[in-house]
């Protein structure tokens, strides 16, 4: 009887703790999502004042954004830089991932540390180094300079994702193909690459988003004609709290949402295959 | 296991090697070169050591990074604990609530917090409406604003490693502890917390590394007195136009980050994962 009662009390206590834990967790989820949740309604609000919730809804801010050259120029530049960066970084990261997973060689650890260094070095330090370096090369303020710097910056992310894909491949298939007389290149093109497409697509997608969102390096390298969307936004938030920024923010959030859903889908796929 | 080949890696890694030598190693060499006046003197370091601006930025950086890491750890742990208790299906769905903020641009977050925390922002308007008086709490352009922005950015980075180590705990341990009569709090303190320590350590170290180098959040949500080392690098580069001093501050920041980055990489290495 008494043991049954204490059991109920214990259960009740456990239940309380669980509810508390869930409540706290949802509080944190709300805190994490708050920026995206706030920015979206504001972006459909009035062009005259920043108000939440907006008094009336319209597409004015988007219309202003897409018809103002001071915003569309940076948008186009960001898209150009992010696309070029993605293509170059993918072409470099795919073979590098394969080489680093499949081979052992002298200086591999050093090379890996060097390639991954943009993840650890504070972006400001990296940005300053590139700024000083590119100034002497006269690459400062050029689109080419931005693309080169971004390529280095996004490669670690692409490499992590693509090498995870390489690690899941069965090396015996590769041996088998070569044993059957396929040359190395043919084996790579017909056995390795097709299996890697999902990881390559994911790596490329993340590379694109990271380049598109990158601020610090672009801020240091920006010239009068090479202001990316993120740099334009950074200075706009600092100097003029214009409601148009809400529209830009919502567009960026939408892009992030797409990337995040693909991220989830990939994780699910990974769990199923393992 | 298949033995890895020791030859033939060249063509695969050459492009990455060339790029990282030219665009990662050379820039670092440039900073070292500038910070030492072309390798001739330590004058820039002596100058910043005497500068009160540098001292204040250094203190701010360490204090803010410390507290931002601790608060993010607490928030991230709460979320990871909640996620670990869900079924795989529900967890995948709830993960979106962490992944979306993780992929959201830091500019979007900073901008949103200027709307939320501003003088006439959402919180102040709400409090004014609630109390019927004009409330204008200073929530932004100060240490509080920086903390809110930084923890919002860093919390998801804690969730991933902590969740991984929570999921690795054998559920039989919990059942055994419960059968033996341990109370939930005791189970948490003697099983959950110690067994998630590797994830906590990995998460906190990587978050601390990021927090030390924060630039955007203090620039947009902080006040003048909240300048961090990264902002000082920018200040000396663009306003003062003194590249030597800027580089010296950069080298200092780099060294500071190194203190935390080295143990973080060692932990990762013991986990035996390449490039993860």
């Amino acid at each position: 009887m008494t043991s049954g009662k204490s059991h109920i009390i214990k259960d009740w206590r456990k239940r309380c703790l669980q509810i508390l834990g869930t409540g706290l967790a949802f509080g944190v989820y709300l805190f994490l999502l708050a920026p995206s949740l706030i920015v979206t309604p504001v972006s459909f609000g009035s062009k005259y004042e920043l108000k939440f919730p907006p008094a009336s809804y319209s597409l004015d801010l988007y219309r202003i954004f897409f018809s103002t050259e001071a915003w569309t120029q940076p948008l186009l530049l960001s898209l150009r830089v992010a696309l070029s960066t993605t293509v170059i970084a993918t072409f470099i990261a795919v073979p590098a991932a394969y080489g680093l997973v499949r081979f052992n060689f002298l200086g591999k650890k050093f090379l890996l540390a060097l390639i991954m260094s943009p993840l650890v070095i504070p972006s400001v330090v990296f940005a300053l180094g590139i700024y000083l370096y590119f100034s002497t090369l006269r690459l400062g303020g050029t689109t080419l300079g931005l693309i080169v710097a971004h390529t280095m910056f996004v490669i670690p992310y692409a490499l992590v994702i693509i090498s995870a894909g390489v690690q899941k491949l069965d090396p015996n298939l590769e041996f088998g193909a070569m044993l059957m007389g396929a040359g190395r290149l043919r084996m790579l093109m017909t056995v390795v690459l097709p299996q890697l497409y999902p990881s390559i697509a994911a790596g490329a997608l993340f590379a694109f988003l990271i380049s598109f969102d990158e601020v610090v390096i672009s801020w240091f390298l920006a010239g009068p004609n090479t202001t990316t969307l993120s740099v334009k936004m950074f200075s706009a938030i600092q100097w003029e709290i214009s409601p148009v920024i809400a529209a830009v923010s919502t567009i960026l959030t939408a892009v992030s949402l797409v990337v995040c859903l693909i991220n989830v889908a990939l994780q699910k796929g990974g769990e199923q295959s393992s | 296991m298949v033995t890895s080949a020791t030859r033939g890696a060249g063509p695969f890694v050459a492009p990455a090697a060339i790029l990282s030598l030219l665009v990662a190693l050379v820039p670092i060499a440039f900073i070292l070169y500038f910070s030492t006046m072309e390798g001739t003197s330590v004058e820039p370091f002596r100058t910043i050591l005497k500068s009160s601006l540098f001292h204040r930025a250094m203190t701010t950086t360490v204090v803010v990074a410390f507290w931002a890491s601790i608060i993010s750890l607490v928030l991230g742990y709460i979320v990871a604990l909640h996620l670990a208790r869900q079924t795989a299906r529900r967890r995948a769905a709830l993960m979106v609530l962490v992944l979306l903020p993780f992929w959201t641009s830091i500019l979007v977050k900073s901008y949103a917090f200027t709307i939320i925390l501003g003088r006439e922002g959402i919180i102040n308007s709400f409090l004014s409406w609630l109390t019927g008086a004009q409330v204008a709490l200073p929530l932004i352009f100060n240490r509080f604003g920086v903390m809110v922005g930084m923890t919002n950015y860093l919390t998801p980075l804690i969730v991933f490693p902590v969740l991984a180590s929570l999921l690795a705990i054998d559920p039989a341990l919990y059942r055994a502890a419960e059968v033996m009569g341990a109370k939930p709090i005791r189970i948490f303190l003697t099983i959950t917390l110690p067994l998630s320590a590797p994830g906590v350590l990995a998460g906190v170290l990587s978050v601390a590394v990021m927090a030390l180098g924060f630039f955007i959040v203090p620039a947009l949500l902080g006040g003048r007195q909240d300048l961090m080392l990264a902002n000082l690098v920018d200040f000396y580069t663009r306003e003062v136009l003194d590249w030597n001093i800027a580089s010296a501050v950069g080298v200092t920041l780099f060294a500071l980050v190194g203190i935390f980055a080295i143990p973080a990489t060692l932990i990762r290495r013991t986990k035996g994962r390449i490039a993860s």
Side-chain angles (χ1 to χ4, degrees):
Chain A
M1 194 62 179
T2 39
S3 79
K5 210 173 194 176
S6 75
H7 199 74
I8 289 168
I9 290 172
K10 216 155 121 200
D11 262 9
W12 178 78
R13 216 188 254 157
K14 204 176 147 189
R15 192 90 204 104
C16 270
L17 278 172
Q18 257 172 13
I19 291 171
L20 182 72
T22 310
L24 283 174
F26 275 93
V28 181
Y29 291 132
L30 190 68
F31 169 59
L32 293 180
L33 287 171
S36 321
L37 293 177
I38 294 295
V39 152
T40 315
V42 170
S43 75
F44 292 104
S46 152
K47 60 183 168 190
Y48 302 111
E49 57 168 355
L50 256 175
K51 216 176 152 208
F52 180 87
S56 63
Y57 290 90
S58 73
L59 287 173
D60 285 354
L61 294 174
Y62 292 90
R63 223 169 277 140
I64 295 173
F65 172 71
F66 284 110
S67 61
T68 313
E69 218 169 64
W71 284 107
T72 50
Q73 289 289 352
L75 173 66
L76 286 176
L77 178 72
S78 277
L79 286 173
R80 260 170 42 219
V81 169
L83 270 176
S84 321
T85 300
T86 305
V87 172
I88 302 170
T90 311
F91 271 99
I92 295 178
V94 172
Y98 186 79
L100 286 165
V101 173
R102 280 282 181 271
F103 298 92
N104 262 323
F105 50 90
L106 193 70
K108 179 172 159 176
K109 276 189 182 150
F110 174 72
L111 179 63
L112 195 61
L114 202 59
I115 298 177
M116 303 308 272
S117 63
L119 283 181
V120 182
I121 302 174
S123 351
V124 145
V125 176
F126 189 55
L128 174 65
I130 289 188
Y131 170 75
L132 298 174
Y133 176 35
F134 282 9
S135 299
T136 58
L137 292 180
R138 295 180 183 280
L139 270 174
T142 65
T143 313
L144 179 66
L146 273 176
I147 295 171
V148 172
H150 275 204
T151 303
M152 185 64 229
F153 186 68
V154 304
I155 276 185
Y157 300 90
L159 190 73
V160 167
I161 291 160
I162 298 170
S163 48
V166 175
Q167 267 163 340
K168 279 188 203 140
L169 299 183
D170 182 359
N172 288 320
L173 288 176
E174 293 158 36
F175 285 133
M178 304 234 335
L179 218 60
M180 298 300 207
R184 168 143 260 165
L185 191 67
R186 177 136 180 236
M187 180 276 285
L188 289 170
M189 298 308 274
T190 56
V191 177
V192 176
L193 265 188
Q195 299 185 80
L196 274 182
Y197 282 145
S199 334
I200 296 174
L205 191 79
F206 294 167
F208 181 88
L209 184 70
I210 289 161
S211 164
F212 195 75
D213 276 352
E214 203 288 322
V215 206
V216 184
I217 297 168
S218 314
W219 170 250
F220 272 75
L221 292 182
N225 297 315
T226 50
T227 303
T228 64
L229 185 62
S230 51
V231 170
K232 165 77 184 157
M233 210 173 143
F234 179 57
S235 45
I237 299 174
Q238 266 181 312
W239 309 118
E240 26 146 353
I241 298 274
S242 142
V244 177
I245 306 170
V248 189
S249 297
T250 307
I251 296 171
L252 290 181
T253 306
V255 176
S256 308
L257 183 65
V258 171
V259 170
C260 141
L261 290 177
I262 293 169
N263 193 344
V264 172
L266 283 170
Q267 271 181 351
K268 253 191 209 159
E271 269 164 33
Q272 271 162 11
S273 73
S274 62
Chain B
M1 266 314 281
V2 183
T3 48
S4 347
T6 46
R7 307 188 68 188
F12 293 105
V13 297
I18 294 167
L19 182 82
S20 53
L21 281 174
L22 287 181
V23 193
L25 197 62
V26 176
I28 297 171
F30 258 83
I31 297 184
L32 289 172
Y33 183 73
F34 271 90
S35 70
T36 54
M37 315 276 286
E38 288 122 50
T40 55
S41 89
V42 290
E43 197 50 44
F45 289 99
R46 219 172 277 151
T47 314
I48 59 170
L49 279 180
K50 273 184 262 165
S51 142
S52 64
L53 188 62
F54 174 79
H55 281 281
R56 210 169 53 198
M58 184 83 173
T59 318
T60 308
T61 304
V62 173
V63 171
V64 166
F66 175 79
W67 284 111
S69 308
I70 298 294
I71 298 170
S72 306
L73 172 64
V74 174
L75 298 182
Y77 205 101
I78 291 171
V79 167
L81 210 53
H82 180 250
L83 286 172
R85 280 204 310 254
Q86 310 301 315
T87 58
R89 232 201 151 99
R90 267 184 69 102
R91 193 183 310 130
L94 286 168
M95 243 353 219
V96 177
L97 304 183
V98 182
L99 281 167
L100 178 61
F102 175 72
W103 285 110
T104 301
S105 157
I106 188 119
L107 288 173
V108 173
K109 293 188 168 194
S110 304
Y111 174 67
F113 279 119
T114 61
I115 302 179
I116 299 172
L117 305 174
R119 189 161 274 276
E120 287 161 21
I122 295 172
I123 291 183
N124 276 326
S125 312
F126 177 72
L127 289 177
S128 301
W129 173 81
L130 204 67
T131 58
Q134 190 62 40
V135 177
L137 292 174
L139 302 171
I140 203 177
F141 307 130
N142 54 24
R143 191 62 60 86
F144 179 80
V146 175
M147 258 344 171
V148 170
M150 282 178 73
T151 48
N152 191 278
Y153 186 81
L154 295 171
T155 301
L157 295 165
I158 293 272
V159 174
F160 306 127
V162 172
L163 178 63
S165 58
L166 284 177
L167 289 176
I169 299 175
D170 186 350
L173 282 175
Y174 290 118
R175 257 175 278 135
E178 221 168 317
V179 169
M180 301 297 204
K183 291 192 176 88
I185 292 177
R186 176 127 184 239
I187 294 178
F188 177 77
L189 289 177
T190 54
I191 298 178
T192 318
L193 206 55
L195 286 177
S196 63
V200 167
L201 203 60
V204 160
L205 285 174
S206 63
V207 159
V209 164
M210 291 215 67
L212 288 168
F214 255 64
F215 169 66
I216 304 292
V217 171
L220 295 179
L221 300 179
R224 284 214 147 271
Q225 69 289 353
D226 300 303
L227 273 180
M228 288 175 66
L229 285 178
N231 305 100
L232 211 55
V233 172
D234 181 51
F235 174 72
Y236 279 117
T237 312
R238 318 186 135 246
E239 317 264 322
V240 188
L241 300 173
D242 190 331
W243 292 357
N244 298 318
I245 302 284
S247 301
V249 178
V251 170
T252 316
L253 175 58
F254 191 17
L256 195 61
V257 163
I259 298 171
F260 293 90
I262 291 164
T265 9
L266 287 179
I267 289 171
R268 241 172 273 156
R269 197 159 295 161
T270 50
K271 277 201 201 153
R273 279 187 204 152
I274 181 194
S276 70

